[in-house]
Amino acid sequence: MDLSPIWLTLKLAGITTLLLLLIGLPFAWWLSKGRSLIKIIIEAIITMPLVLPPSVLGFYLLLAFSPQHGLGKWLHDTFDVQLVFSFPGLILASVIYSMPFMVGPVKSALQQLPASLAEASYTLGKTEWQTFRYVLLPNIKPSLLTAAVLTFAHTLGEFGVVLMIGGNIPGVTRVASIAVYDSVEKMDYALANNYSLVLFSITFILVIAVFIFNKYQAKGPIV
């Protein structure tokens, strides 16, 4: 079995998760503070990948970043950057597609924290960023871990969106889910089963680890 699709998938999931920790946490914090029309619209846009078919999102990303159209043409002509059928394009698509899995749990956890926590921090002279970094985040560790694992696991299983924008280029965009599909098309069910078992095992172990961690955080026995 060629392991390159597995390593490429793990690399994609890891980079996507790290980027969403950097992008998604401030976004979730901003969305958790009050309500406004612009926040509702942005939150709706972030949530769209949960309800849109992945192929639809992938199709529009393909149009947007195609070297022959709009933004993709500008990037290609100005910076000689092509995102379609490239690994950076997969990263961009994965960040957009998995963003609700990072933002949603963190936003909900921040909203459930008592307002007195932030108010006490401000009283002590801490800035909003210091309050977020050193007071609020440490109090939502289980939600942070859950969001990170969901993002990572969700990226492992992406298919439609990565196929549309990345295609099936060995060593470049051929991730494990596409390798499964490719193997089934060739009627090589044994190889498809091998790839599927690896993906299943990784995601199952990750989910079990999160449940155990959250159980210990709640100080409850595992029975």
Side-chain angles (χ1 to χ4, degrees), residues 45-69:
I45 293 172
I46 291 174
T47 307
M48 286 302 289
L50 289 176
V51 294
L52 272 178
S55 56
V56 172
L57 178 61
F59 171 69
Y60 284 119
L61 288 175
L62 180 63
L63 289 182
F65 294 105
S66 169
Q68 286 77 40
H69 300 95

Side-chain angles (χ1 to χ4, degrees), residues 34-47:
R35 303 293 292 174
S36 66
L37 181 59
I38 186 65
K39 288 185 178 182
I40 291 173
I41 293 173
I42 290 176
E43 188 171 1
I45 293 172
I46 291 174
T47 307

